[in-house]
Structures are given as C-alpha cells and as structure tokens.
Amino acid sequence: MNLESLNFYGFSFEPELKEEIQQVAVLKTIDAGIDLIKPQQFIKSIPLVLKGNIKILRSNDEGEELLLYHIEAGETCAITLNCCLGHVRSEIHAVTETTVEVLMIPVQKMEEWSSKYKSWRHFIFNSYHKRMMELLESLDNIAFHNMEERLEMYLLAKKQMLDKAVIDVTHKEIATDLHTSRVVISRLLKKMERERLIKLHRGSVELL
DNA sequence: TCATTAACACGGG
DNA sequence: CCCGTGTTAATGA
C-alpha cells in the first residue's frame, strides 16, 4: 500500500499518522453488489473508501430497507463508529455499489487516532457533517416528494455517481432502496419511458 | 387517488 | 427452469 493513495482524502494527514495507517490498514478490493456490513452484525473495522462507492441502507427487524446515503471515494462512515465503540449491533446495511477499493481500519485505532492527531479529528468531524447533510437530504426527499420525484432523483444521483447513462439496476432493487413495491417502480419507469426521459432494458435503465 | 399484495403471462439466459 | 418485467384485480389508507 502506498502513501500516495492517502492523499486522495484531501486532508493533509501527519506523516506519523500515515505511517500508522499503513501499518494497520488492510487493503481490500471488493466486487459490486457485496454486503460489507449486514444488519445485526457486530462491527470491528471501518472502511476508508479509496475507489468506487458504497450505499448505506437502514433496515428494520422485518428486513425492510431504505436507502440513506452513499459513501464515495475519500470518505468514511464515521456514524458507524458509535455503534462499534458501544459494542452495539449494526442498525444499517452497507452494500458495494461498484467495485471498491477500501482500507479496513480497526475501530480501536480510529478512536486512538482521534485523540492523537488533529488531522484525523478534522477528517472524522467532516465525515460526520457530510453524513448528516445527506441524511437530511434523504429525509427531505421522503417528507416532501412523491415517489415519482424520488425515483427521478434516485436515477440522476446514480448517473452522477457512476458517471454513465446506463445504470445496471433491476426494478426490484430500486423498490428496495426507495422502500416501495416493484409494481410501483415498474409503472413509474414505464411512464418515464413514454415521456422519453429514459429507455428501459432488461436489468438496466438508460437515462436520456 | 395512489400504494400494496397477489397473481399471471411472457421472454431471455 | 428461474428471473426480470409488465399488467391487472382486489383491498386499504
């Protein structure tokens, strides 16, 4: 693992910190569509994302889900820290959306670095802030927009994130992310296709 | 009115 | 055959 990849974060980590990261972090490459964190699981290490992105869903005990936000390159999920330090089971579900490269950092190290390094504190606070903003955005979506608008925003966000117009996703997967039924998604997508906003393919949606 | 659930048909891999 | 998709009918909020 080279230190250069850490500059990716845009935070000038102290040389000593970089050294420590290099010592304890485990570099992993993971395929798209893999569960990183399952609901009810105990977490002992947290990923720093170097490449690709991860989606974070909220799950209830019935296994119903709702997309909360995404973790992109250069970010981490600081909110998960709480759950880890408190030895509480995970209330969230993390799934890789693309192939990702991550550095897995043990939770104790993250805590240790928070008191040791100023740059790390900044990084963690910044991550908290980002997650909080995205959470508010997602709350706004649910409160103030109907399903059709939410679907449009969902697709646009995916297009931006993946940087391509053809999005590989099934109606069922969208329905899970937006916490609705597939019937509704199929109907809305069909309507959007008639309106020439999108083109439907099996297992993918093309934005026009 | 719009979402959900169940059910069914069709087609591709 | 299984899965993704499109559609309908019944029911409920």
Side-chain angles (χ1 to χ4, degrees), chain A residues 17 81 97 99 101 159 171 176 186 189 198:
Chain A
L17 175 55
L81 268 173
E97 192 149 27
T99 300
E101 257 178 46
K159 182 188 176 180
H171 298 186
T176 301
S186 291
L189 285 174
I198 58 173

Side-chain angles (χ1 to χ4, degrees), chain A residues 96-140:
Chain A
T96 57
E97 192 149 27
T98 61
T99 300
V100 292
E101 257 178 46
V102 295
L103 287 176
M104 298 306 294
I105 313 275
V107 176
Q108 317 92 273
K109 282 292 164 189
M110 284 207 157
E111 195 185 17
E112 204 181 301
W113 295 341
S114 285
S115 51
K116 239 163 127 182
Y117 300 105
K118 193 178 167 199
S119 66
W120 186 258
R121 273 197 299 281
H122 283 174
F123 176 62
I124 294 298
F125 272 121
N126 193 268
S127 171
Y128 253 100
H129 183 249
K130 273 191 193 162
R131 297 288 86 76
M132 193 62 78
M133 290 302 109
E134 289 179 75
L135 213 49
L136 288 180
E137 203 181 306
S138 136
L139 187 61
D140 282 350

Side-chain angles (χ1 to χ4, degrees), chain A residues 68-85:
Chain A
L68 294 183
Y69 47 76
H70 295 91
I71 312 277
E72 293 172 69
E75 299 180 350
T76 191
C77 190
I79 289 178
T80 316
L81 268 173
N82 270 339
C83 138
C84 306
L85 295 170

Side-chain angles (χ1 to χ4, degrees), chain A residues 34-95:
Chain A
I34 303 290
D35 288 341
L36 281 184
I37 299 171
K38 289 181 197 162
Q40 299 303 305
Q41 188 183 341
F42 288 106
I43 304 162
K44 43 198 190 323
S45 57
I46 291 183
L48 297 190
V49 183
L50 298 179
K51 212 187 263 182
N53 49 63
I54 298 169
K55 69 180 177 188
I56 306 292
L57 305 116
R58 159 81 179 142
S59 317
N60 67 7
D61 6 315
E62 271 101 57
E64 293 171 19
E65 304 205 298
L66 173 68
L67 179 63
L68 294 183
Y69 47 76
H70 295 91
I71 312 277
E72 293 172 69
E75 299 180 350
T76 191
C77 190
I79 289 178
T80 316
L81 268 173
N82 270 339
C83 138
C84 306
L85 295 170
H87 303 291
V88 177
R89 286 173 194 276
S90 152
E91 298 281 338
I92 56 124
H93 184 192
V95 187

Side-chain angles (χ1 to χ4, degrees), chain A residues 155 159 162-168 199 205-208:
Chain A
L155 292 173
K159 182 188 176 180
L162 304 174
D163 198 30
K164 56 180 193 176
V166 180
I167 298 160
D168 293 312
K199 206 166 179 186
V205 178
E206 183 181 355
L207 303 209
L208 303 176

